[in-house]
Amino acid sequence: MRGGRTWRTWRPGPYVVLGGLFWLVMTLAYWRIPLCCDAGQHAAVVERLRADLLQPAHPMAALPGAGSPYYSPYTVVQGALARLTGLSGWETVKLAGPVNLAVLLTGIGRFVRTLTPRPWAPVLAVLFMTLLWGTERVLWSGYLGLMSMTTNLGYPSAFAIGLTFWAWALTGGRERGPRGWWGYAGLGVLYGLIVLVHPITAVASTTGALAIVAAWQSPWRASVVGRWALTAAVAVAVALAWPYYDVLALPGNPAVDAVHRGLYERMGGHLWLALLGMPALWARARRAAGGRWWRAWRDPLVLMFALDCLVLAYGWTSGHYTYGRILGLTAVPPQFALALELAAPRPWGWA
């Protein structure tokens, strides 16, 4: 005690220790394994921006690059960094890996803490999110299984998913904490940034936000509706104000739908292990319902999973198979539900 104050020794929780260790191991693995797949395309985007930050050429052809969705705020910052430091596109993508992983891990930790104070819950959430996938290897952008992370941590999708967890955590915080107008506007900026960085991830980000607000918001008043309307308006304004490409030209574009059909056809092989979390999700639904089945949607993970399934069904029936890219985040509700249930106190010890 000094001057009447009691000094407490800070002790890191299990997520700080194990999450930090996971960040270190995955960063070393990502740097060790040669870049492949779409990495060349993302490196080319950085090279184009390094050559001309304001009017970059098309990343894959000798054509003007105006209107290319690859030129997002994320890649523009990368291009500016490459111009300032002299780094190549490949080196910039490599360096982005540990940064994106840090955003992802801190976002997961913050989001899980809005669901439960149990200290081991975020540890189990990361464990299940990286391991409970399938027995068929998948290296798609936006799929953050353990194998995929060794190749795509430097992609914009990894950064967008990390921002998504932060956005969900802050959305939950708006429901249970301070409700100033500026906070809602700032949240809109964050969602608008996700739209620009990786539009398909923004679809799952939006369904997750809707699930959190619908499950936890009570009561609904005019002032509450006005605040969330402000969030939506700011997000739309941020997305539309971006000068490099037109966000409105992306929905319904069939250019890459055929490529993504395989995500639906091989869904079982890619994700069947995530079904291990369905009993936990069902238990959460029953608790939220309290004997009234129509109230099961009061749990955000349950409602999030239901909305994502509706989006996937739309993608399949409409032929817009690109919506299958949200499968990586569709697996999050059962994965995280299982983590939350197993982190609960038990009548037996660890042994």
Side-chain angles (χ1 to χ4, degrees), residues 124-176:
L124 294 176
V126 171
L127 179 69
F128 296 152
M129 191 192 75
T130 55
L131 293 182
L132 293 186
W133 287 80
T135 47
E136 183 178 339
R137 186 176 64 175
V138 54
L139 297 177
W140 284 92
S141 172
Y143 280 51
L144 292 180
L146 196 62
M147 180 66 71
S148 296
M149 292 178 76
T150 59
T151 60
N152 62 21
L153 277 179
Y155 294 1
S157 59
F159 183 71
I161 292 174
L163 290 184
T164 293
F165 283 116
W166 271 103
W168 288 347
L170 295 173
T171 299
R174 293 291 96 192
E175 294 304 311
R176 299 184 173 185

Side-chain angles (χ1 to χ4, degrees), residues 142-279:
Y143 280 51
L144 292 180
L146 196 62
M147 180 66 71
S148 296
M149 292 178 76
T150 59
T151 60
N152 62 21
L153 277 179
Y155 294 1
S157 59
F159 183 71
I161 292 174
L163 290 184
T164 293
F165 283 116
W166 271 103
W168 288 347
L170 295 173
T171 299
R174 293 291 96 192
E175 294 304 311
R176 299 184 173 185
R179 301 190 175 190
W181 289 88
W182 284 110
Y184 286 87
L187 195 54
V189 173
L190 181 55
Y191 279 110
L193 181 61
I194 296 170
V195 172
L196 292 171
V197 172
H198 203 246
I200 193 61
T201 295
V203 175
S205 178
T206 302
T207 58
L210 291 174
I212 294 169
V213 173
W216 283 348
Q217 182 64 67
S218 180
W220 283 95
R221 293 188 294 266
S223 59
V224 173
V225 174
R227 287 183 172 93
W228 285 118
L230 174 63
T231 298
V234 171
V236 171
V238 169
L240 295 180
W242 185 246
Y244 284 83
Y245 72 91
D246 181 11
V247 173
L248 296 180
L250 299 179
N253 190 331
V256 292
D257 283 334
V259 176
H260 295 99
R261 183 184 177 94
L263 293 177
Y264 283 94
E265 294 174 343
R266 296 189 292 272
M267 186 188 304
H270 291 163
L271 283 167
W272 72 269
L273 284 174
L275 297 177
L276 294 174
M278 291 303 295

Side-chain angles (χ1 to χ4, degrees), residues 255-311:
V256 292
D257 283 334
V259 176
H260 295 99
R261 183 184 177 94
L263 293 177
Y264 283 94
E265 294 174 343
R266 296 189 292 272
M267 186 188 304
H270 291 163
L271 283 167
W272 72 269
L273 284 174
L275 297 177
L276 294 174
M278 291 303 295
L281 201 62
W282 175 253
R284 291 181 64 87
R286 290 191 62 183
R287 284 199 298 271
R292 301 175 181 178
W293 62 268
W294 60 88
R295 292 182 58 85
W297 58 272
R298 298 296 295 179
D299 184 277
L301 291 180
V302 173
L303 185 55
M304 189 184 300
F305 183 71
L307 293 177
D308 285 344
C309 287
L310 288 177
V311 173

